[in-house]
Amino acid sequence: MQKPRWKTVGGALLRVTAVWAVSTLTMLALAGILPDFSLKSGDGDSATRIAVTAASGAGAFGVLSALVWPLLVRALLLMPALVLGLLVFALNGSMLLIALSLIPDGPGTAEPETAVVVAAVMSAASSATSTFLTVRDDGAYRRRLARLAGRRRRRLGQDEGDEQSPGTVFLQLDGVGHAVLREALRERENRPPVMPTVAGWVRTTHRVMPWRTDWSSQTGASQLGILHGSNEDVPAFRWYEKKSGEVMVSNRPTSAAVLQRRAAARARHDGLLTVDGASRGNLFTGGADQLALVLSVAARRGKHNRSRSGYFAYFSDPANATRTAVSFLAEVVREIGQSTRAKLRRETPRVKRGGLYPLIRAFATVVERDVVVTAVMGDILSGRTAIYADLVAYDEVAHHSGPRGRDVQQVLARLDRSIALIANVAEYAPRDYRIVLLSDHGQSPGETFSGAYGLTLEDLVRAGCGLPVSRRAGRTSSGAEAREAGRAALRRPEKPEVEPDGRAGAAKADEDVAARHATVSDPIVLASGNLGLISFPDVPGRMSREQIDARHPTLLRTLADHPGVGFLLVRSEAHGAVVLGADGAEHRLDTGEVLGGVSPLAAFGPGAEDAVRRTAHFRNTPDIMVNSAYDPVRGTVHAFEEQIGSHGGLGGEQGHPFLLWPAELTAPVAAGEELIGAEQVHRVLRRWLAEADGPQVPEEEAEAETAGEARAGADARAGADARPPAGAELPEAAGAAHTVPESRRDGAPAAPFTVVSRGVPDQAR
């Protein structure tokens, strides 16, 4: 029975009054504690006068927070979100000063820095009181949910008597490998698991298994395949496209938009979330209509870009803004402390963690987490059917602190609390929800390539091409040997120390080599974790092995024989896709022929050959692809970027993320089979939506799926431990960016030699 309207209004007034009273008491308490905050005049006031001043100030502050704050936040959406977080305190304190000035004949005064503290505490107290009263009022809570559900039914044309099927929430824990997750679920020396919520699920209601990524083990390729069903022609996190003369970067809004359009065209549908979906914190939309913090639409202008509205929805509540700002500063301090401790202990491997990195980490682990989690909870309370959200905190921290250790354990524990919060909110939703956890890749530890060998991939390539290198690289044994071999092949031997004209011999030799290359563009070298990509922009199409050897006779052998390199991928005019390894080892992928004993891919485990063969035939595969060396015993790789936890290529845990699902859903694959590739994960998630009688890609848009894929889904259902819900019908076919050197529009590179490294939040990766 619905309550009379006057009772509803009366309850709302009671809550407003209670919040006002708590704010007043908080202001009185702070006036008594803080020396620079006063609510009385210099000659003294009565207790009644002080109480009236506090009540007036609290009321004015509350009104300003309700009316002015949302307008400020909307205006600040034009600024970077990181700046918004830093301005929260100043804006809140300014509103308090304005509120005190609005009191008629009011004696209230506060120093600006004190006003910031008072405003933060009052916002937190008001928010806590309002939340407590709302949750305690079950009737109000149910009425709110009923209104949200009613709106959705009317929008979807459903009858009030229709029973809603279960909704599905997909939470992506970015970068959390299967092995790291299993460790976080185990008890440790009589201590509880790092992730107790997820551990409880695995013991009771959920199942978990690893899956294997494509060669490009990074968020761009994995999430594109998972959300849109195709990640073809995505060889790495960043690559050079000869046709356009531009560098594509997965976490650049313009590049993400292009990748999404290409994937939709290949898959012949808009994505996993096309029908009644929400995409939160992702690189791509997945076809969803409801968006927040989605990179592929971040470059849009006008009313069609709703991605940044996620910031507004969250920060429009000043209490949220204050709480997140406090956590942001605490995370900055935590990172500075952790990096200082690592330096004092001389921990190895270690990378630099100064500059803007503490702010970047705090944004990824606090601001983005809070906004995304709040958006997901709003989707659940409004009864949305399919939600996909990416929580990037672990991946960002693990790049700089390593995939294991105390730093990342703290992040995993906070992620577990976010998952628990979402699960608790789902209990109040107008429909049942199934929560699926998954990751897009793992991370492999190891010292950086430059840290281990004293030179970068750029240096090694330049040396192999006979080009000048930095003094530091030239003094290393591998750099000197490669440089000497390159000069010999080019008939440019080392010169005497001093030439007759007084110039140093080496310097003159460098000038000679540079003159020889004046008409030839230098290679563009890019890095994606432990994957390197080398392109020669002046040669149209993909350069062949024979062409590379003719131009740079020692380059391929210099790279393949280096101890920090595992293998190279090139295209041979005679043999097609060829993998090159040390000591002349060669694996011809198109024919399966192996020369020199053992395949260079053998150390990388099962599936490596198929993964490399698939990438070898991409349109955007560069002239040379370099995968770092891999130590199977220690599980380590060498990142070509400044990362001690990396991903992007083959080797170790980076290629083994996880998938965790409710037991009532069918198993992803049949018993004894392996789940391989992001595109197959997409088909599994689509099948689960179908089992819940949820939104599905319309059949006329899914003609690209083969009958074989449908049979694979049927086999998986036959081997499942649990059956789908009764009555469920299964269809026949289940189914802030870093600046990167741009190329000029005329196709010529902006710089002769480019090495790009990461330094952005791993929403990107």
Side-chain angles (χ1 to χ4, degrees):
M1 178 179 177
Q2 188 174 5
K3 287 187 178 181
R5 182 176 179 81
W6 66 270
K7 286 189 176 182
T8 303
V9 174
L13 289 175
L14 180 62
R15 287 194 296 276
V16 170
T17 303
V19 171
W20 187 9
V22 169
S23 296
T24 301
L25 293 174
T26 302
M27 183 176 281
L28 286 169
L30 293 173
I33 296 172
L34 301 175
D36 295 329
F37 179 43
S38 175
L39 295 175
K40 60 183 179 181
S41 59
D43 55 357
D45 283 320
S46 65
T48 301
R49 174 69 174 170
I50 295 174
V52 170
T53 300
S56 301
F61 181 67
V63 171
L64 287 173
S65 297
L67 299 180
V68 178
W69 182 264
L71 299 178
L72 288 173
V73 173
R74 187 172 290 280
L76 288 171
L77 286 179
L78 300 175
M79 304 175 65
L82 191 61
V83 177
L84 176 61
L86 297 176
L87 289 178
V88 164
F89 290 119
L91 293 173
N92 226 8
S94 299
M95 285 200 299
L96 178 66
L97 292 175
I98 295 173
L100 293 175
S101 69
L102 294 176
I103 303 174
D105 300 324
T109 60
E111 293 298 322
E113 59 273 16
T114 305
V116 169
V117 176
V118 174
V121 176
M122 289 182 62
S123 295
S126 300
S127 177
T129 303
S130 178
T131 302
F132 174 78
L133 293 175
T134 302
V135 173
R136 292 286 294 175
D137 187 352
D138 290 338
Y141 208 74
R142 285 194 296 269
R143 286 192 297 275
R144 178 171 181 267
L145 296 180
R147 288 196 301 272
L148 291 171
R151 291 174 193 167
R152 285 180 48 74
R153 289 181 187 277
R154 289 191 295 272
R155 187 175 71 247
L156 298 175
Q158 298 174 340
D159 296 330
E160 289 294 327
D162 290 347
E163 182 178 353
Q164 288 186 298
S165 59
T168 307
V169 179
F170 302 105
L171 295 178
Q172 178 178 303
L173 306 187
D174 207 300
V176 179
H178 179 258
V180 169
L181 178 74
R182 298 298 290 187
E183 292 174 10
L185 303 184
R186 289 197 295 264
E187 293 185 359
R188 305 155 298 147
E189 300 175 354
N190 297 323
R191 289 183 297 171
V194 174
M195 304 182 74
T197 301
V198 181
W201 289 1
V202 172
R203 286 195 303 267
T204 56
T205 60
H206 285 63
R207 304 291 179 265
V208 64
M209 67 174 291
W211 64 278
R212 179 145 42 89
T213 68
D214 305 287
W215 186 6
S216 182
S217 55
Q218 46 87 22
T219 303
S222 290
Q223 197 177 87
L224 188 66
I226 292 170
L227 286 178
H228 289 277
S230 173
N231 60 5
E232 187 178 349
D233 282 345
V234 181
F237 180 72
R238 51 176 70 87
W239 66 93
Y240 176 74
E241 293 199 348
K242 291 188 176 182
K243 186 175 182 180
S244 63
E246 296 182 353
V247 174
M248 297 289 289
V249 187
S250 298
N251 71 333
R252 183 187 293 162
T254 52
S255 297
V258 171
L259 295 180
Q260 181 172 304
R261 287 197 298 270
R262 291 176 180 175
R266 290 191 180 97
R268 304 181 67 179
H269 58 73
D270 287 335
L272 181 74
L273 310 173
T274 301
V275 183
D276 194 29
S279 180
R280 310 300 189 186
N282 300 311
L283 294 182
F284 311 104
T285 68
D289 182 58
Q290 297 297 315
L291 309 171
L293 280 66
V294 176
L295 200 71
S296 63
V297 299
R300 293 181 186 175
R301 296 291 182 265
K303 63 181 181 180
H304 298 293
N305 180 12
R306 293 185 298 278
S307 181
R308 292 180 68 84
S309 64
Y311 288 113
F312 174 75
Y314 182 79
F315 287 111
S316 59
D317 183 345
N320 285 346
T322 302
R323 182 173 58 251
T324 296
V326 170
S327 299
F328 181 94
L329 293 178
E331 188 69 14
V332 170
V333 173
R334 181 182 293 112
E335 161 55 26
I336 294 174
Q338 290 174 346
S339 61
T340 302
R341 184 179 66 244
K343 188 179 298 182
L344 292 175
R345 293 179 177 179
R346 298 183 178 181
E347 296 178 359
T348 56
R350 190 176 70 249
V351 293
K352 294 180 179 179
R353 293 161 60 174
L356 291 177
Y357 173 69
L359 300 179
I360 294 170
R361 166 174 165 168
F363 176 83
T365 59
V366 175
V367 178
E368 194 164 10
R369 176 203 64 198
D370 288 353
V371 173
V372 169
V373 169
T374 301
V376 170
M377 292 191 297
D379 293 327
I380 290 173
L381 293 178
S382 65
R384 197 159 303 283
T385 313
I387 307 158
Y388 194 104
D390 188 9
L391 300 174
V392 303
Y394 170 87
D395 194 61
E396 181 59 45
V397 176
H399 277 310
H400 296 79
S401 301
R404 290 175 171 81
R406 199 165 80 177
D407 294 8
V408 294
Q409 286 185 355
Q410 293 174 351
V411 175
L412 290 171
R414 293 198 293 271
L415 285 176
D416 187 79
R417 289 195 289 272
S418 296
I419 295 168
L421 181 60
I422 291 172
N424 290 338
V425 168
E427 295 179 2
Y428 294 92
R431 68 194 306 168
D432 291 334
Y433 272 95
R434 294 164 169 171
I435 299 180
V436 175
L437 304 182
L438 73 160
S439 58
D440 48 346
H441 55 79
Q443 285 212 17
S444 297
E447 189 174 9
T448 65
F449 185 84
S450 61
Y453 300 103
L455 78 170
T456 65
L457 181 62
E458 169 191 3
D459 296 325
L460 187 61
V461 172
R462 291 185 69 88
C465 292
L467 296 171
V469 297
S470 65
R471 288 186 178 181
R472 181 176 67 91
R475 286 195 293 266
T476 65
S477 58
S478 54
E481 291 171 3
R483 189 170 181 233
E484 183 178 352
R487 290 182 181 282
L490 295 170
R491 296 182 175 82
R492 299 289 180 183
E494 293 287 353
K495 304 293 183 179
E497 280 301 313
V498 179
E499 292 293 315
D501 59 6
R503 288 180 297 168
K508 187 173 186 300
D510 287 344
E511 292 178 9
D512 293 341
V513 173
R516 180 182 183 276
H517 284 270
T519 59
V520 178
S521 296
D522 288 350
I524 293 176
V525 179
L526 304 173
S528 177
N530 73 318
L531 186 66
L533 299 92
I534 305 167
S535 298
F536 297 88
D538 61 309
V539 179
R542 189 173 174 194
M543 200 172 181
S544 70
R545 173 186 184 179
E546 290 79 3
Q547 289 175 303
I548 297 171
D549 283 338
R551 178 185 286 193
H552 303 294
T554 64
L555 175 59
L556 295 180
R557 286 269 53 93
T558 295
L559 292 172
D561 288 335
H562 192 277
V565 172
F567 65 88
L568 316 177
L569 171 66
V570 293
R571 180 186 66 84
S572 168
E573 295 173 3
H575 307 292
V578 176
V579 170
L580 304 178
D583 301 322
E586 183 174 322
H587 188 160
R588 298 171 180 173
L589 296 176
D590 292 345
T591 63
E593 186 180 3
V594 176
L595 306 179
V598 180
S599 168
L601 298 174
F604 293 86
E609 181 179 342
D610 291 337
V612 174
R613 182 185 294 110
R614 177 175 184 260
T615 304
H617 298 288
F618 283 175
R619 180 184 58 187
N620 294 318
T621 299
D623 299 326
I624 307 172
M625 289 189 73
V626 183
N627 201 101
S628 85
Y630 166 57
D631 185 339
V633 177
R634 297 187 298 166
T636 56
V637 299
H638 297 299
F640 297 120
E641 306 177 78
E642 287 300 298
Q643 301 168 351
I644 58 174
S646 68
H647 57 89
L650 287 174
E653 296 177 7
Q654 63 182 314
H656 299 281
F658 74 91
L659 179 62
L660 186 148
W661 70 97
E664 64 262 29
L665 296 173
T666 58
V669 292
E673 294 184 1
E674 187 177 9
L675 184 59
I676 301 173
E679 294 180 359
Q680 188 175 0
V681 174
H682 169 85
R683 293 191 287 271
V684 170
L685 301 191
R686 275 184 54 188
R687 170 157 50 88
W688 285 346
L689 289 176
E691 290 175 10
D693 197 23
Q696 304 156 42
V697 175
E699 288 186 9
E700 61 270 18
E701 296 180 353
E703 295 176 357
E705 291 204 11
T706 64
E709 291 167 350
R711 286 194 297 272
D715 292 341
R717 291 192 293 272
D721 295 331
R723 293 178 299 175
E729 293 184 3
L730 302 179
E732 292 183 4
H738 181 51
T739 301
V740 178
E742 293 279 355
S743 297
R744 297 199 307 266
R745 292 294 178 182
D746 60 6
F753 202 106
T754 308
V755 172
V756 183
S757 60
R758 248 184 100 260
V760 295
D762 208 25
Q763 173 184 2
R765 299 293 296 278

